[in-house]
C-alpha cells in the first residue's frame, strides 16, 4: 500500500510540475508579447490644458471668436443661400478674424 501511495504522490508531483512549467511558459509568452506591443505601439500622449486665469481667458476668447465666425456663416447661408456669396463671406471672415481678435481682445490698446 505504501508503494502505491508513493507512486500516486510521484504522479501528482509530476503533474503539478508539468502544470507549473506550462504556466511559466504561458507567463513568459505573455511577457514577450507585452514587451513587443510596448515596443511597437506608442504610448498615448495626454494633453493637459492650462488652468490659469490667462489660459481660461484665452479659451473664452477663442470660443467667442469661433462662435461669432460660425454665426456669421450660418446667417449668410440662411439669408442669401448662394454658394458663391457664402464662399466669399467665408474667405472674407477668415481674413478678418485676426483683425477682430486683435481689436476686440488686445489689452495694449
Amino acid at each position: 500500500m505504501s508503494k502505491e501511495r508513493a507512486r500516486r504522490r510521484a504522479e501528482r508531483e509530476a503533474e503539478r510540475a508539468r502544470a507549473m512549467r506550462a504556466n511559466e511558459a504561458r507567463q513568459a509568452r505573455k511577457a514577450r508579447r507585452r514587451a513587443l506591443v510596448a515596443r511597437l505601439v506608442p504610448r498615448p500622449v495626454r494633453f493637459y490644458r492650462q488652468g490659469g486665469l490667462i489660459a481660461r481667458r484665452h479659451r473664452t476668447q477663442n470660443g467667442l471668436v469661433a462662435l461669432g465666425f460660425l454665426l456669421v456663416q450660418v446667417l449668410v447661408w440662411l439669408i442669401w443661400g448662394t454658394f458663391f456669396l457664402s464662399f466669399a463671406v467665408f474667405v472674407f471672415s477668415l481674413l478678418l478674424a485676426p483683425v477682430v481678435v486683435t481689436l476686440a481682445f488686445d489689452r495694449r490698446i
Side-chain angles (χ1 to χ4, degrees), residues 12-28:
R12 282 194 308 268
E13 289 174 359
E15 181 61 33
R16 192 176 307 130
R18 276 193 299 268
M20 287 178 62
R21 282 194 305 271
N23 191 23
E24 288 171 357
R26 196 171 24 255
Q27 294 298 329

Side-chain angles (χ1 to χ4, degrees), residues 91-101:
V91 171
F92 184 68
S93 297
L94 282 179
L95 294 173
L96 197 62
V99 175
V100 170
V101 169

Side-chain angles (χ1 to χ4, degrees), residues 24-64:
E24 288 171 357
R26 196 171 24 255
Q27 294 298 329
R29 278 194 308 271
K30 274 187 182 181
R32 283 194 308 270
R33 189 178 319 123
R34 239 182 274 123
L36 177 66
V37 167
R39 269 194 323 231
L40 296 178
V41 177
R43 288 186 358 209
V45 178
R46 294 183 181 173
F47 294 99
Y48 295 102
R49 58 169 37 173
Q50 295 287 328
L53 178 66
I54 295 173
R56 214 172 19 239
R57 183 182 303 147
H58 280 257
R59 279 194 301 273
T60 304
Q61 291 172 356
N62 291 341
L64 289 174

Side-chain angles (χ1 to χ4, degrees), residues 54-106:
I54 295 173
R56 214 172 19 239
R57 183 182 303 147
H58 280 257
R59 279 194 301 273
T60 304
Q61 291 172 356
N62 291 341
L64 289 174
V65 169
L67 185 66
F69 182 83
L70 186 65
L71 185 65
V72 167
Q73 301 308 310
V74 168
L75 285 176
V76 167
W77 181 70
L78 287 175
I79 293 173
W80 286 288
T82 63
F83 176 75
F84 179 73
L85 189 60
S86 296
F87 183 72
V89 170
F90 176 74
V91 171
F92 184 68
S93 297
L94 282 179
L95 294 173
L96 197 62
V99 175
V100 170
V101 169
T102 302
L103 291 177
F105 301 123
D106 194 13

